[in-house]
Amino acid sequence: LGALLAIALGLVLQLISFESFGNDRMLFGATAPLWQEHFRLVTASFLHGSLSHAFSNGAFGLLLGVVLFGTHRFGATAFVWLASSAVGLTVEVLMSPGANVIGASAGNYGLVGLWAMGQFQRAQTRWLVRREVMRTLGVLLLLLPGAITPFSANGTRIAVLAHVFGFLAGLFLGVYFRRR
């Protein structure tokens, strides 16, 4: 319920920002040089190009969040999302000068990394280790096309490096935030 309310609040804030500032993402999007305005690494994660973009990221985050709140607790899940988002956005902005990077997908893929590390840790304590590992790799393979597709259906550029480095950050943070 809390996650659904957060998504609803995010959509309302998205509408308010569109009405107040227009569709100018340059105000809060992550752009270079990052050393002058660090806040953009956080605000860019909450800003989306359209309502469908916000809704799809919210639904993806909700699906993962509900699972991870039960296995890694709320604080660890929220921290991994925020840290993965910041890492992914930083790499994308540094490697794509002049790009205005927005969206929550780097953090969402960080949650995928946290989930995957938890599944690999779980596989070590199960009788059917190979089955658990294969199931986890199968889910990751299903998510791979969405993570590495460089353009959306309407031609908008997708931040592939943010997805990849967000996932890696979540995977590495999963070593510290172990599955309970």
Side-chain angles (χ1 to χ4, degrees):
L1 180 61
L4 285 173
L5 289 174
I7 291 170
L9 178 64
L11 290 173
V12 168
L13 291 175
Q14 185 79 30
L15 286 172
I16 291 170
S17 73
F18 282 164
E19 291 297 319
S20 301
F21 304 111
N23 200 6
D24 185 13
R25 296 182 295 264
M26 295 302 287
L27 293 171
F28 302 105
T31 55
L34 290 174
W35 56 87
Q36 293 175 349
E37 298 175 329
H38 299 292
F39 70 90
R40 289 180 183 233
L41 290 176
V42 176
T43 58
S45 301
F46 296 98
L47 185 66
H48 293 83
S50 66
L51 289 179
S52 63
H53 183 210
F55 181 75
S56 64
N57 273 336
F60 189 43
L62 176 66
L63 177 69
L64 291 167
V66 167
V67 171
L68 292 172
F69 290 158
T71 59
H72 289 82
R73 298 212 168 112
F74 178 80
T77 303
F79 177 79
V80 167
W81 182 86
L82 193 58
S84 299
S85 187
V87 167
L89 291 172
T90 300
V91 170
E92 187 68 38
V93 167
L94 291 176
M95 299 304 285
S96 304
N100 185 22
V101 184
I102 57 171
S105 55
N108 287 347
Y109 279 104
L111 294 182
V112 172
L114 178 65
W115 171 81
M117 184 55 74
Q119 290 298 102
F120 292 141
Q121 291 166 352
R122 178 180 174 208
Q124 295 172 352
T125 64
R126 296 281 188 199
W127 287 97
L128 300 172
V129 175
R130 188 176 197 168
R131 181 177 177 205
E132 290 294 323
V133 170
M134 293 304 289
R135 181 183 304 164
T136 303
L137 291 175
V139 170
L140 292 176
L141 283 174
L142 286 173
L143 294 173
L144 185 63
I148 62 171
T149 302
F151 295 99
S152 68
N154 64 2
T156 306
R157 187 176 170 281
I158 296 176
V160 173
L161 289 174
H163 294 171
V164 171
F165 281 90
F167 171 79
L168 293 174
L171 195 67
F172 289 124
L173 286 170
V175 172
Y176 179 74
F177 296 108
R178 296 185 63 83
R179 179 186 172 101
R180 35 179 198 139

